[in-house]
Amino acid sequence: MFIELEAIFNNVGSSKRVDFSFTPEDEQLVSGSVDVRSAVENRAGIVTYSGKADFVLSAVCDRCAENFTRPETVEFEHVLVSELQSEDNDDFILVEGMKLDAESLVREDIILSLPTQLLCKQDCKGLCQLCGANLNYKQCGCKKPVDSRLAVLMQLLEDDY
Ligand SMILES: [Zn+2]
Ligand SMILES: [Zn+2]
């Protein structure tokens, strides 16, 4: 999805709504399509591209190893420039040839928005370290492993008797 920006850059006060969907087939964390509702705007000479992307996150929980899916919304806002004023500014998106590759930009925003630890739910209880049971579904009854310093102490006590 490319957005033509020449008319926007050249007209202060102009704006354009751009809604589109795409299916990132090589992105395994996204199930199905991404629905984007967005707009480009020229406010007092500053051109911005902002909006929301709705998608379904599909992942394996880092704690309990179950597959899960969950609807997610990512909001984004970028300042667009047609040429870079100074080299060391990462805050601006440089638009080459007055065309914005909106799909690539939104895809990047989605990936950057994902947490490094993906959990099926915030309070996922994970797996029992002894028997591997999924503790979200049942209490397995395993005894918690005893702290090793405590184990030494208990061993000393037993030797005394
Ligand atoms: Zn989980
Ligand atoms: Zn267990």
Side-chain angles (χ1 to χ4, degrees), residues 128 130-133 140 142:
C128 171
L130 296 177
C131 73
C140 58
C142 291

PDB file of all heavy atoms in Angstrom, residues 128 130-133 140 142, ligand 2:
ATOM      1  N   CYS A 128       4.398 -26.740  35.797  1.00  0.00           N
ATOM      2  CA  CYS A 128       5.094 -27.264  36.973  1.00  0.00           C
ATOM      3  C   CYS A 128       6.488 -27.705  36.551  1.00  0.00           C
ATOM      4  O   CYS A 128       6.648 -28.399  35.551  1.00  0.00           O
ATOM      5  CB  CYS A 128       4.331 -28.437  37.553  1.00  0.00           C
ATOM      6  SG  CYS A 128       5.267 -29.298  38.835  1.00  0.00           S
ATOM      7  N   LEU A 130       8.352 -29.760  37.942  1.00  0.00           N
ATOM      8  CA  LEU A 130       8.617 -31.173  38.234  1.00  0.00           C
ATOM      9  C   LEU A 130       7.884 -32.105  37.282  1.00  0.00           C
ATOM     10  O   LEU A 130       8.479 -32.989  36.691  1.00  0.00           O
ATOM     11  CB  LEU A 130       8.223 -31.500  39.677  1.00  0.00           C
ATOM     12  CG  LEU A 130       9.038 -30.768  40.736  1.00  0.00           C
ATOM     13  CD1 LEU A 130       8.525 -31.093  42.121  1.00  0.00           C
ATOM     14  CD2 LEU A 130      10.521 -31.139  40.612  1.00  0.00           C
ATOM     15  N   CYS A 131       6.562 -31.900  37.118  1.00  0.00           N
ATOM     16  CA  CYS A 131       5.795 -32.860  36.314  1.00  0.00           C
ATOM     17  C   CYS A 131       5.345 -32.283  34.976  1.00  0.00           C
ATOM     18  O   CYS A 131       4.843 -33.015  34.137  1.00  0.00           O
ATOM     19  CB  CYS A 131       4.583 -33.371  37.092  1.00  0.00           C
ATOM     20  SG  CYS A 131       3.270 -32.155  37.241  1.00  0.00           S
ATOM     21  N   GLY A 132       5.516 -30.980  34.768  1.00  0.00           N
ATOM     22  CA  GLY A 132       5.166 -30.391  33.480  1.00  0.00           C
ATOM     23  C   GLY A 132       3.694 -30.075  33.318  1.00  0.00           C
ATOM     24  O   GLY A 132       3.265 -29.673  32.244  1.00  0.00           O
ATOM     25  N   ALA A 133       2.892 -30.253  34.354  1.00  0.00           N
ATOM     26  CA  ALA A 133       1.454 -29.948  34.256  1.00  0.00           C
ATOM     27  C   ALA A 133       1.254 -28.454  34.016  1.00  0.00           C
ATOM     28  O   ALA A 133       2.011 -27.626  34.521  1.00  0.00           O
ATOM     29  CB  ALA A 133       0.754 -30.359  35.550  1.00  0.00           C
ATOM     30  N   CYS A 140      -1.089 -29.717  40.373  1.00  0.00           N
ATOM     31  CA  CYS A 140      -0.595 -31.075  40.187  1.00  0.00           C
ATOM     32  C   CYS A 140      -0.299 -31.756  41.509  1.00  0.00           C
ATOM     33  O   CYS A 140      -0.226 -32.974  41.584  1.00  0.00           O
ATOM     34  CB  CYS A 140       0.647 -31.059  39.311  1.00  0.00           C
ATOM     35  SG  CYS A 140       1.949 -30.023  40.005  1.00  0.00           S
ATOM     36  N   CYS A 142       2.508 -31.606  43.188  1.00  0.00           N
ATOM     37  CA  CYS A 142       3.944 -31.816  43.414  1.00  0.00           C
ATOM     38  C   CYS A 142       4.383 -30.932  44.575  1.00  0.00           C
ATOM     39  O   CYS A 142       3.906 -29.823  44.729  1.00  0.00           O
ATOM     40  CB  CYS A 142       4.754 -31.416  42.181  1.00  0.00           C
ATOM     41  SG  CYS A 142       4.516 -32.491  40.774  1.00  0.00           S
TER      42      CYS A 142
HETATM   43 ZN    ZN B   2       3.789 -31.037  39.204  1.00  0.00          ZN
END
